[in-house]
Amino acid sequence: MEKILTFAVPCYNSAAYMDHCVETLLTGGDDVEIILVDDGSVKDDTPAICDRYAERYPDIVKVIHQENGGHGEGVNQGLRNATGLYYKVVDSDDWLDVDALQQVLAKLRECARWPEPLDMLIANYVYEHVEDNTQRVMRYRNVFPEGKVFTWDDMGRFRPSQYLLMHSVIYRTQLLRDCGLELPKHTFYVDNIFVYQPLPYVKSIYYMDLDLYRYFIGRADQSVNEKVMVGRVDQQVRVTKLMIEAHDLWKVKRDYPRLGRYMLSYLSMMMTISSIFLNISGTPESLGMKTELWEYLRTVDQALYHRLKYRALSAVGVFPGYQGRKLSVSLYHVAQHIYKFN
């Protein structure tokens, strides 16, 4: 039986929480394929748990044991081995709403019968904050039309805090392969590449106003924890540079004006985040890295450099001098308190 949707679940020492994730995916039944990628786990029973699921559900679950390659290589392995028409990444500490999943699968089954299969399906995701047990739903009602297939020309404007994340997208598997998506190994924050690099290849989109993905946030060791991000800021910079190289955004803007506008905003946000965390680090090496990042953008595309540096979002991260850096960090913490994004 052909699978409609492949879930790739990168697992690294995930024994404490991965069962909840996998059990929600299993409710998809025979329509789904679940690829558990054990990324060199050695500290707990993750490899054995993966094998147990494969033995119990041999027609649904596949297991790949690999040497540690990082989250991106887990996504890559899933994509290399996926047999489903569509592809979604689910982190092992997150989970899906089972009722919403059934509705998404029904729509994807319908899409599979079309002469030209849909390229991307978008749904909402929910921040599940562990510290205060609160939720925050990220919806796209103001951006995308509902109940019909549309293109980038039909897209509205994103709010400043609103972006497509890995949690919100389901791609057609072959589209990801055709666009040459290959995430770097041993690098955090590659999910930004996943929701940026393929976009100009997407020609047909469908939005479902469903709260599908539950994003668990607030664990001290998570990659989006502020202290962790400061310690890994070099990897944030690496991802940002790869995104700078990924596309000629002026061409994208000519071909797809609304998509180009969004991608400019997304890259601006990435430059801002990198600059902010380099400011928070505050070491001479970090401040030098910030200067080098902006100079790198200038060498790649001088017009893009000026566009991003002087738009309001990016300017938060590039105020000059000590007081400017202090102000940018303060503004970041205000936004963090309001939007609770890490």
Side-chain angles (χ1 to χ4, degrees):
M1 183 181 192
E2 184 181 14
K3 300 293 185 177
I4 297 298
L5 177 59
T6 293
F7 293 115
V9 186
C11 303
Y12 180 65
N13 298 326
S14 307
Y17 40 77
M18 64 181 291
D19 280 327
H20 186 204
C21 171
V22 178
E23 293 296 334
T24 65
L25 305 185
L26 285 168
T27 63
D30 290 333
D31 280 334
V32 305
E33 170 185 60
I34 303 171
I35 301 179
L36 303 177
V37 183
D38 166 33
D39 189 36
S41 301
V42 294
K43 295 181 180 179
D44 62 17
D45 292 333
T46 295
I49 294 172
C50 290
D51 291 338
R52 185 187 74 209
Y53 276 112
E55 291 170 6
R56 190 177 300 173
Y57 303 98
D59 296 328
I60 298 175
V61 179
K62 296 179 182 178
V63 175
I64 298 172
H65 298 286
Q66 65 179 24
E67 293 183 5
N68 181 260
H71 185 264
E73 184 61 11
V75 175
N76 294 337
Q77 282 283 28
L79 185 57
R80 292 181 194 120
N81 291 274
T83 63
L85 180 60
Y86 293 94
Y87 186 75
K88 183 164 185 61
V89 180
V90 182
D91 289 338
S92 58
D93 55 346
D94 299 333
W95 64 96
L96 299 189
D97 181 273
V98 296
D99 293 331
L101 176 58
Q102 294 305 314
Q103 296 179 66
V104 167
L105 286 172
K107 176 54 64 176
L108 292 179
R109 282 194 294 269
E110 177 187 333
C111 296
R113 296 191 293 269
W114 296 348
E116 294 293 331
L118 185 75
D119 285 340
M120 182 170 70
L121 186 144
I122 298 168
N124 307 329
Y125 65 95
V126 182
Y127 285 109
E128 299 278 355
H129 293 278
V130 64
E131 288 186 348
D132 56 7
N133 198 31
T134 59
Q135 297 179 338
R136 182 166 177 261
V137 182
M138 298 300 296
R139 298 186 177 93
Y140 301 95
R141 296 170 182 170
N142 59 306
V143 182
F144 302 124
E146 299 176 50
K148 68 174 186 178
V149 179
F150 60 92
T151 69
W152 297 120
D153 292 337
D154 304 305
M155 180 174 71
R157 284 187 176 271
F158 285 76
R159 292 188 293 268
S161 63
Q162 190 181 38
Y163 295 96
L164 293 173
L165 296 190
M166 183 179 277
H167 318 314
S168 51
V169 300
I170 299 174
Y171 288 113
R172 185 167 55 86
T173 306
Q174 192 58 45
L175 180 144
L176 293 179
R177 292 170 176 159
D178 290 345
C179 77
L181 182 71
E182 180 81 11
L183 302 182
K185 292 183 178 181
H186 301 295
T187 306
F188 286 89
Y189 315 116
V190 295
D191 51 314
N192 293 288
I193 301 172
F194 187 84
V195 289
Y196 181 86
Q197 192 255 325
L199 294 184
Y201 298 87
V202 171
K203 308 303 180 188
S204 57
I205 314 160
Y206 196 96
Y207 169 56
M208 300 185 74
D209 188 11
L210 298 171
D211 301 342
L212 174 65
Y213 195 103
R214 303 300 173 126
Y215 176 27
F216 183 84
I217 191 166
R219 236 182 37 240
D221 63 339
Q222 275 187 298
S223 61
V224 293
N225 175 275
E226 181 176 310
K227 290 182 179 179
V228 175
M229 291 186 75
V230 171
R232 295 172 177 163
V233 68
D234 60 316
Q235 297 177 53
Q236 182 77 45
V237 170
R238 181 185 181 196
V239 166
T240 302
K241 286 183 176 180
L242 290 172
M243 292 171 64
I244 291 171
E245 299 167 1
H247 292 289
D248 177 351
L249 289 187
W250 304 118
K251 182 179 186 305
V252 174
K253 203 168 188 298
R254 287 193 300 271
D255 294 343
Y256 310 103
R258 296 187 178 190
L259 174 61
R261 181 182 65 203
Y262 167 75
M263 292 180 69
L264 280 165
S265 176
Y266 198 102
L267 186 58
S268 175
M269 179 268 295
M270 291 295 294
M271 293 293 294
T272 299
I273 288 174
S274 297
S275 298
I276 288 290
F277 280 100
L278 290 164
N279 282 345
I280 292 174
S281 175
T283 66
E285 292 79 11
S286 295
L287 298 180
M289 193 181 299
K290 185 179 77 169
T291 299
E292 191 274 334
L293 173 62
W294 284 95
E295 286 304 308
Y296 177 78
L297 176 61
R298 191 207 296 263
T299 62
V300 172
D301 189 327
Q302 189 163 358
L304 186 61
Y305 165 83
H306 287 290
R307 177 71 173 267
L308 298 191
K309 188 167 185 178
Y310 295 107
R311 56 185 294 146
L313 181 62
S314 290
V316 172
V318 294
F319 291 140
Y322 171 77
Q323 292 299 329
R325 295 195 298 271
K326 187 176 179 180
L327 175 60
S328 70
V329 172
S330 296
L331 291 173
Y332 167 79
H333 284 140
V334 169
Q336 181 188 46
H337 177 74
I338 294 171
Y339 297 113
K340 299 174 68 173
F341 41 74
N342 60 21

